[in-house]
Amino acid sequence: MNMPTTRRVSLFLTCGADALYPSVGRASVRVLESYGVDVDFPEEQTCCGQPWLNTGDAKSARIMALHFLKVFERSEAIVAPSSSCVDTVRNRYWPLFKGEPKLQDRFRKLASKTYEICEYMHRILDIPGLPPHPEPARTTYHSSCRTLRGIGLRGVAENYLKQMLGDHFVPLPDADACCGFGGSFSVKFPEVSGKMMEDKLGNIVLTGASTVAALDMSCLTHLSAGARRQNLGRLRFVHLAELMMEALEGKTR
Amino acid sequence: MSPIVPNFRKASREAVRNSQVIAAVRKTANLLSGMMALAVANTPDFEALRNYGRTRKLEISGDLEKYAQSFAANAQAAGAVVHRAKDAAEAARLAIKIAADNGAKTAVKGKSMTAEEVELNEALEAAGVTVTETDLGEFIIQLANEKPSHIMAPAIHRSRAQVAELFTDRLGTPPDLSVEALVAAARKELREKFLAADMGITGGNFAIADTGAIVLLSNEGNIRMATTLPRIQLAVVGIDKIIPEMADMPKFLALLARSAAGQTISSYLSIVTGPRRAGEEEGPEQLHIILLDNGRSRIAKGPYREILHCLHCGACLSHCPVYRAVGGHAYQAVYPGPMGSVLSPLISGLEIYADLPNACTLCGRCAEVCPVCVPLPDYLRDLRSDVNKPPLMMKMAAFGAHTPSLYRLGMIAMRQMLKKGVKGLMAPALKEWTVCREPPEPQAGESFRDWWKTRSHGQ
Ligand code: SF4
């Protein structure tokens, strides 16, 4: 059999991890590297543009999309620790350029090589299993809307969690319900957003988990900030990549 | 038309606190979505059926007027009188005239959202016609003097206990009746009305162009009574309800019945083609059909055309997490939930319902369940471009965010401000954010970019 050539990946950190969660970026790099992937980090990268796209400011969204294209077009593959950002690059960019077929084509190519990190491990690296976690904590998983219905990843993260954590992984009741974040929705209608959040947190508490994993730090920012308001302080909110890194390196944090 | 200016923020803030209503909504919404899931799972070719529905509806919405004319011609040939109403006011005027011309003083009515759209009851009552709702849910709503809160289950916001209380209060029934006893009480009340009514009013689930028939689904048998007993019959139907051929009907029926109530077919199915003919024993002397446009032709020519494909099954409402959190009344529109957040602004005006396209987390559940694949989240996102005026701050932010050096500075500033609890430019957003949460908490220690820099230098 031929030795596969080294895979190269450009990390798209996302603005959330850039501003709030450096550990998610570090974990993404180390997980990919532990599978022999050559990771680079284009420093000119910024944000995917969802805040503009989802508030109806298509003009600004186009500016953001064009910048993303400029930074990442030459990459072999782009990997981000966020389903919603990947959904944006994959499914939302090219429709912004109707009537510009050449540009649209370039965006479609970009779309076809952009992955969420968990998705990349499953679909491209074809990693069948992960080692057991050294200190498994009772953990549940929030399958965000953009993971399920945006990039269509179902059951993959859950499988990896089962391999790493065994019985310590507890599925979340009503798992496919939205957590109530919704970007601008969270500040336009905070009472409704808060009600949906309460329901999600209620289900999390029901599982007895002390760790909540997801592939979307934006949902987790909302949920963790809500958990602090509700004094559910002990909960740890992590991107799946962080648990993967801990399992792969055999130590916690 | 309504004197209150809709304000979703205010209405939803109150709605989420009404735990009785929310509990009732969820209970039935869960039941309905559960039954739908089962029915869909038991239909091996459901995806093919959905595709058929969407494709066929695209043909129809591409040529609405052609089908409307062909329906009108065939319905007239079958003996019906077809009226075209360009808007709600005209439809109401036509209905009043039909009642007046025939000396109709009392009417029994089947559930119809199109009639709600034209505020038919109010118009007829004002003209001296007493209208009695005969669908159980609508009957409850009418007793309570409320509006429907779900397009398929109008009284979804009321629990059995609340309905029992209402019946005791308004009809003098013994307290705390069971569901069966409540149904029996309503039946008894309605029987008299059916027999006495001059006029029967319905909507139409489908209007069949090639035969001129109106197709009506029901689970209570009230439609059958309302379409056969009174001497004058009126159906108010949106032109979007027209399908080309009778042969299309079974497929659309299969989609609608499964999505609306998890049924393979409704308990009753009425196909009304013309009034009573010579020699027939049942049926009205006259059948009037009001074909309502009210913006539909305009919508068909615009970018949101597929909203006219809607079968009004209600599945997107029952599955919507926002709808489940606030109930239907918070939308302050005839059509609530995902389909309503698209349709209501398009029919009544973007400026009136500017909140509704924003009242959605874009979670995508509605599109996943819609039997005719209406791209609801895409439409809601696109409608935001039409209703929102991006604040200057956001425009400036976009400039900063695509300029790497400014973006990096912004990220550093944001980290620092959040760490130190300084709000600065983020104050307005943080004020709303902290209604139900603490401010976001940046992790301690070096940023990713610093880590990356030291690391690549070390290598
Ligand atoms: S938009 Fe689709 S799911 Fe919603 S009511 Fe209409 S047909 Fe049903």
Side-chain angles (χ1 to χ4, degrees):
Chain A
M1 239 169 66
N2 290 335
M3 276 294 285
T5 50
T6 310
R7 292 186 189 278
R8 283 172 216 287
V9 151
S10 299
L11 176 71
F12 173 47
L13 181 61
T14 78
C15 62
D18 207 340
L20 303 171
Y21 309 112
S23 67
V24 175
R26 291 196 297 265
S28 303
V29 173
R30 281 153 65 171
V31 166
L32 289 169
E33 286 180 348
S34 77
Y35 287 103
V37 178
D38 193 357
V39 183
D40 76 291
F41 177 73
E43 297 198 21
E44 302 290 278
Q45 65 178 272
T46 64
C47 153
C48 71
Q50 275 183 85
W52 296 274
L53 186 73
N54 293 339
T55 48
D57 184 356
K59 207 169 145 201
S60 299
R62 268 195 295 270
I63 295 176
M64 298 304 293
L66 285 168
H67 179 70
F68 192 99
L69 185 71
K70 192 167 105 194
V71 175
F72 286 105
E73 190 169 27
R74 281 175 306 276
S75 300
E76 188 180 302
I78 303 129
V79 169
S82 160
S83 298
S84 69
C85 304
V86 171
D87 177 45
T88 300
V89 176
R90 188 183 294 168
N91 302 318
R92 305 285 147 220
Y93 276 0
W94 60 265
L96 287 170
F97 298 89
K98 283 189 185 125
E100 291 163 86
K102 283 224 180 82
L103 202 50
Q104 203 167 42
D105 247 29
R106 287 164 65 193
F107 275 109
R108 282 186 199 269
K109 284 209 188 80
L110 187 75
S112 69
K113 58 179 181 180
T114 305
Y115 307 90
E116 208 292 326
I117 181 166
C118 174
E119 181 188 32
Y120 185 79
M121 291 186 45
H122 172 69
R123 289 191 181 148
I124 304 302
L125 296 182
D126 204 12
I127 310 293
L130 285 165
H133 192 282
E135 288 173 53
R138 199 172 173 87
T139 300
T140 194
Y141 170 69
H142 168 54
S143 45
S144 72
C145 301
R146 301 299 189 89
T147 304
L148 288 171
R149 290 172 284 266
I151 67 172
L153 202 65
R154 284 168 200 263
V156 176
E158 291 92 322
N159 245 337
Y160 284 146
L161 281 162
K162 253 178 254 160
Q163 292 161 356
M164 292 189 289
L165 304 168
D167 290 345
H168 296 274
F169 168 60
V170 203
L172 192 59
D174 206 10
D176 71 341
C178 174
C179 69
F181 172 61
S184 60
F185 179 86
S186 65
V187 288
K188 277 197 163 140
F189 306 108
E191 294 86 4
V192 189
S193 176
K195 168 83 182 127
M196 293 159 75
M197 176 194 81
E198 256 175 50
D199 293 341
K200 187 58 82 183
L201 288 173
N203 279 325
I204 289 172
V205 169
L206 271 184
T207 64
S210 60
T211 302
V212 182
L215 305 181
D216 255 307
M217 293 315 289
S218 48
C219 305
L220 294 188
T221 303
H222 158 78
L223 289 173
S224 62
R228 272 186 284 122
R229 170 63 61 88
Q230 298 193 3
N231 295 317
L232 309 174
R234 309 164 301 98
L235 287 170
R236 180 188 177 207
F237 291 86
V238 293
H239 189 282
L240 183 66
E242 297 177 86
L243 296 181
M244 288 176 166
M245 180 191 78
E246 291 168 1
L248 289 165
E249 297 184 353
K251 56 177 192 261
T252 333
R253 277 183 262 195
Chain B
M1 210 164 274
S2 83
I4 335 154
V5 181
N7 179 334
F8 187 78
R9 173 79 188 267
K10 191 165 166 286
S12 65
R13 178 164 45 208
E14 283 153 25
V16 292
R17 294 201 202 105
N18 197 335
S19 45
Q20 252 193 345
V21 165
I22 301 311
V25 168
R26 285 201 185 176
K27 193 171 163 209
T28 307
N30 278 334
L31 200 77
L32 288 171
S33 29
M35 293 191 307
M36 177 184 177
L38 249 179
V40 168
N42 288 329
T43 311
D45 48 357
F46 196 73
E47 268 318 296
L49 212 53
R50 283 178 93 203
N51 280 329
Y52 164 85
R54 175 165 187 269
T55 317
R56 194 67 167 139
K57 280 281 187 180
L58 274 172
E59 284 171 43
I60 301 166
S61 63
D63 214 344
L64 268 190
E65 186 51 30
K66 179 180 101 184
Y67 292 108
Q69 283 181 14
S70 128
F71 171 80
N74 290 320
Q76 306 253 36
V81 186
V82 178
H83 314 259
R84 303 282 304 256
K86 66 174 185 319
D87 58 19
E90 190 177 2
R93 275 200 304 276
L94 283 164
I96 291 169
K97 184 162 186 306
I98 293 163
D101 287 352
N102 294 286
K105 287 283 163 219
T106 55
V108 282
K109 184 167 159 292
K111 196 187 95 55
S112 161
M113 291 310 296
T114 316
E116 292 291 331
E117 184 182 329
V118 305
E119 301 190 336
L120 192 68
N121 289 11
E122 291 83 345
L124 286 173
E125 297 272 351
V129 183
T130 310
V131 183
T132 305
E133 293 286 353
T134 63
D135 168 89
L136 182 60
E138 289 285 351
F139 178 73
I140 294 167
I141 299 294
Q142 193 178 32
L143 275 187
N145 200 13
E146 287 180 326
K147 296 275 184 195
S149 71
H150 187 289
I151 58 172
M152 212 282 298
I156 192 172
H157 58 284
R158 287 185 161 255
S159 65
R160 181 207 51 88
Q162 285 178 305
V163 173
E165 215 172 285
L166 176 75
F167 275 30
T168 306
D169 188 32
R170 302 296 308 272
L171 305 175
T173 55
D176 209 30
L177 290 182
S178 66
V179 172
E180 293 72 28
L182 288 169
V183 173
R187 280 240 155 88
K188 186 161 152 267
E189 189 73 18
L190 288 172
R191 179 92 26 185
E192 305 301 314
K193 310 273 187 193
F194 275 122
L195 292 170
D198 302 314
M199 196 165 163
I201 304 174
T202 66
N205 294 104
F206 304 108
I208 315 288
D210 73 342
T211 67
I214 301 283
V215 179
L216 292 149
L217 279 64
S218 124
N219 285 322
E220 296 165 15
N222 63 317
I223 294 276
R224 184 143 303 176
M225 308 259 280
T227 52
T228 48
L229 292 177
R231 63 192 162 86
I232 309 294
Q233 178 65 37
L234 168 63
V236 186
V237 186
I239 54 168
D240 53 315
K241 296 292 184 62
I242 301 173
I243 55 177
E245 296 166 24
M246 193 54 99
D248 292 304
M249 203 268 286
K251 290 182 185 165
F252 281 111
L253 180 63
L255 286 167
L256 176 56
R258 278 167 179 80
S259 310
Q263 296 171 301
T264 45
I265 186 169
S266 50
S267 310
Y268 295 85
L269 180 71
S270 306
I271 302 178
V272 181
T273 317
R276 182 198 308 194
R277 274 167 283 252
E280 285 180 349
E281 279 171 24
E282 285 187 334
E285 292 160 17
Q286 296 174 29
L287 170 63
H288 294 267
I289 301 168
I290 298 179
L291 279 183
L292 177 72
D293 191 309
N294 208 25
R296 287 163 174 77
S297 305
R298 167 178 48 84
I299 296 169
K301 294 192 183 76
Y304 306 108
R305 161 181 163 196
E306 289 186 46
I307 193 59
L308 297 176
H309 299 181
C310 173
L311 304 179
H312 293 234
C313 73
C316 59
L317 281 66
S318 306
H319 284 81
C320 172
V322 175
Y323 178 88
R324 282 165 173 246
V326 302
H329 287 150
Y331 292 81
Q332 296 165 287
V334 171
Y335 300 107
M339 63 75 80
S341 296
V342 175
L343 192 57
S344 299
L346 289 175
I347 286 185
S348 307
L350 297 176
E351 60 302 335
I352 297 176
Y353 288 116
D355 278 348
L356 296 191
N358 289 293
C360 160
T361 62
L362 303 174
C363 84
R365 243 190 184 179
C366 50
E368 198 174 48
V369 297
C370 176
V372 284
C373 314
V374 178
L376 295 160
D378 291 349
Y379 280 4
L380 289 167
R381 190 190 277 104
D382 291 348
L383 273 165
R384 292 177 188 184
S385 303
D386 302 337
V387 299
N388 295 354
K389 253 187 69 197
L392 186 65
M393 257 276 289
M394 280 298 280
K395 294 231 168 251
M396 283 161 51
F399 177 76
H402 89 287
T403 312
S405 55
L406 288 175
Y407 168 84
R408 283 198 292 268
L409 282 175
M411 288 290 120
I412 293 170
M414 200 197 289
R415 275 171 77 77
Q416 290 310 320
M417 286 198 290
L418 285 171
K419 273 186 186 164
K420 303 214 166 81
V422 187
K423 291 184 184 137
L425 283 174
M426 291 185 296
L430 267 182
K431 179 174 162 262
E432 302 298 357
W433 174 268
T434 52
V435 165
C436 62
R437 327 162 186 92
E438 294 301 307
E441 220 171 40
Q443 284 170 350
E446 62 181 348
S447 73
F448 175 84
R449 287 175 191 262
D450 289 341
W451 175 79
W452 180 261
K453 231 175 259 154
T454 15
R455 193 170 182 268
S456 16
H457 285 310
Q459 276 174 0

